[in-house]
Amino acid sequence: HHRITSVGKREGRGKMAVALTSVLLALRPLHPRDSDPAAAPTGSIRREFSIEVAGRRLNLTRPSPRDCPCANATLCAAIRTGPRQEVYGFTMAEANSTNYEGYDWGVLTTVAWVRSSEVMCKAHSHGARAVLSASGWDIDNVTDAGFRAEWIQGHVQKALDEFLDGTNFDFEGPLNPGDPRVAGYTALVRETKEAFAKAIPGSQVTVDVAWSPDGIDGRFFDFVGLAEASDFLFVMAYDTRSQIFGPCVAAANSPLALDKHGLASFLALGIPSSKLVLGLPWYGYTYPCEGDPSSNGGFCRIKSVPFRGVNCSDAAGTEINFYTIMQMLNSTSASSRMWDDNMASPFFNYKEPGADEIHQIWYDDVASLRMKYDLASSLGLRGVGFWNLDTLDYSGDPAGSADTRYMWNAVREFFASAK
């Protein structure tokens, strides 16, 4: 994803609407000693229960339905829908943002990194899962079974307290082959999945992975083990320029050919297509060019900025939201939209009024994304997903709203064809 979060999105960097039935997880009164940890009491007293994970007992408490922040308390029941075609999106809006009202809940099946009860209530009202970000742990401690148990207990408790449906792992640090932390990370995911399944039946645990399993940015994880330990892998088919081994020039964030290669590599490991969700970018990069691209065959030469031992990377550029890209493209300061056939990606040049420096902007739009939706469908993948949902314009601006509808409509088309 991006260089922004506590455990990932590349260090300082990413539904089918299933209507709730009339009997959605109807809450039933229970005796305090009821042994079913998934059941919910009707009183106001929190109920203690315990589960066993990897030979260790985890002590948890289940909140009362009266603690539910939704207008309708039944919306705090966990979503128990089984495996389905996924449209998975990350939310990065602030807790008081109303962007979520503009998400297309007719297609979203999972919204990740949820930080507000309003988003949870909205998701549940449309049969979509709302999941946590699996943060607050340290890779250096994952080989310690006691540490894993303690973190898992606290994390599952957080999900219970916030009426959420699972969690998403996004560790993007380097790990070398044979490093014991590789097995430790897989164990953490496996035990977390076991704990969530016992405490919140129907919950979902997923893992974000780079666009290819070939040691991207030094990430030599146990991808087969992670796929087996989780519900599915979210393949981040973006930031493919994190390490540039060829000419130091601006290029596509998510070239179709690399997306195909990465998915083929995961499948070649024996990972089922039903365990892969193709993660796609709703953002791009703006690169300051060293010289005029027109004097360099159209190529934008960029400053050499090292990343993990490679001298050139996309760190020479700046991530930019889709709605901002559209504003730039529609301004008088931009060239016309251009298309690179080799990378199946749009781009354009941009020059601020009065400035000498030219920027080249590479991004994905409906035309390039449709090709990737078709790829996911042709390979029989579990679905598609996006980093991130809040890069679209939900302000009500007419031009921005039209672009937003266009993006969501393309997802709807994919979803209809993938059924």
Side-chain angles (χ1 to χ4, degrees), residues 132-150:
L132 288 165
S133 167
S135 58
W137 55 273
D138 191 308
I139 190 64
D140 291 332
N141 293 327
V142 294
T143 57
D144 182 339
F147 169 83
R148 295 197 303 267
E150 182 178 359

Side-chain angles (χ1 to χ4, degrees), residues 61-74:
T61 61
R62 191 175 304 284
S64 162
R66 295 185 183 181
D67 297 325
C68 176
C70 305
N72 182 343
T74 63

Side-chain angles (χ1 to χ4, degrees), residues 365-384:
D365 61 9
V366 166
S368 62
L369 290 168
R370 275 181 174 146
M371 299 172 77
K372 295 161 191 176
Y373 299 157
D374 289 343
L375 173 62
S377 182
S378 68
L379 293 176
L381 302 188
R382 180 74 162 263
V384 297

Side-chain angles (χ1 to χ4, degrees), residues 187-202:
L188 178 65
V189 173
R190 181 175 58 250
E191 292 164 14
T192 299
K193 169 64 177 170
E194 181 183 353
F196 267 97
K198 290 179 176 179
I200 310 175

